[in-house]
Amino acid sequence: MSTPTRFVATQSVLTLDTRHPDVIRAMNDVHDMHRLVMSGHRGWVPEGDGDARSQMGVLSAWTVNLRAQTLTLITQARVTPDWSAVPRAARLEAPHLIRVDQTIKAGDTYTFRAFINPVRAVMQPDGPKKGQRGRRTATMSPHHAAEWFTQRLQPEGEAPIGPSSIKRIGADADPARITTAMLPPLVSTVKKGLKIVRAEVRGQLTVTDPATFTRTLSDGLGKARSYGVGLILVRK
């Protein structure tokens, strides 16, 4: 029988005003959004450390409601953030911090919400050359994004590494009950051509491998985790 594991983190929910200049910049440039997220996690690692995000386990995701003129920013980290660096005029509400401390067991069932960057490696017609992984291509449809996510499900008794060396998430789900929606892509006003496709996936997960599932919740899923994808939120 799988050994239960423990998942500990601090999650934050910020409700921001889409009319504030700092928020407008963050919506329109992935690097400005990254700086906004990291502004709440200063002082835990030396300034300028290249892997500060991964050291602190910082993950984030955001959505916008243009009718309500709000941006909802969700973050997660292994450390406690301080959001005083975010201008008061940009905050429509006080930041809401959630302390997460869960024991995860095989068979536990969670409702989940995941923010993913559904990319895949596409090989050239003449086949891959030695040492090459293929050209990375992002999917642009909810159907293919759902397929990307279901490839990472881990049925009971199966290994955490699947076909094509895909890292699985330590949980399984009924693909027919998963819903997927595409979100606005992340772009840069400085680095031309940068475009990070995003999708939001929802459904229900059943834990099959507690250690792998806990690692997935803590470290995030897929690529581009520095830029607001990879976060999986769960609740019983």
Side-chain angles (χ1 to χ4, degrees), residues 1-5 103-109 156 170 206-211:
M1 180 173 291
S2 300
T3 303
T5 57
T103 298
I104 295 174
K105 306 181 300 296
D108 283 348
T109 299
E156 186 175 0
T206 299
V207 178
T208 57
D209 180 342

Side-chain angles (χ1 to χ4, degrees), residues 59-151:
L59 298 169
S60 65
W62 57 272
T63 58
V64 170
N65 184 329
L66 293 177
R67 186 181 297 277
Q69 297 180 322
T70 60
L71 182 148
T72 301
L73 172 63
I74 305 168
T75 71
Q76 175 181 290
R78 290 189 285 269
V79 299
T80 301
D82 174 6
W83 296 108
S84 59
V86 179
R88 281 186 171 272
R91 293 182 263 147
L92 294 174
E93 300 175 8
H96 178 47
L97 269 60
I98 305 165
R99 314 293 184 181
V100 180
D101 189 345
Q102 297 178 336
T103 298
I104 295 174
K105 306 181 300 296
D108 283 348
T109 299
Y110 295 92
T111 299
F112 81 94
R113 182 185 184 193
F115 299 87
I116 63 172
N117 170 226
V119 298
R120 58 194 178 93
V122 178
M123 298 302 177
Q124 299 302 316
D126 56 351
K129 297 180 181 179
K130 187 176 180 179
Q132 289 185 333
R133 298 176 59 90
R135 181 171 55 88
R136 303 194 68 81
T137 302
T139 181
M140 303 297 290
S141 77
H143 171 75
H144 289 118
E147 186 179 66
W148 183 95
F149 184 81
T150 56
Q151 287 174 345

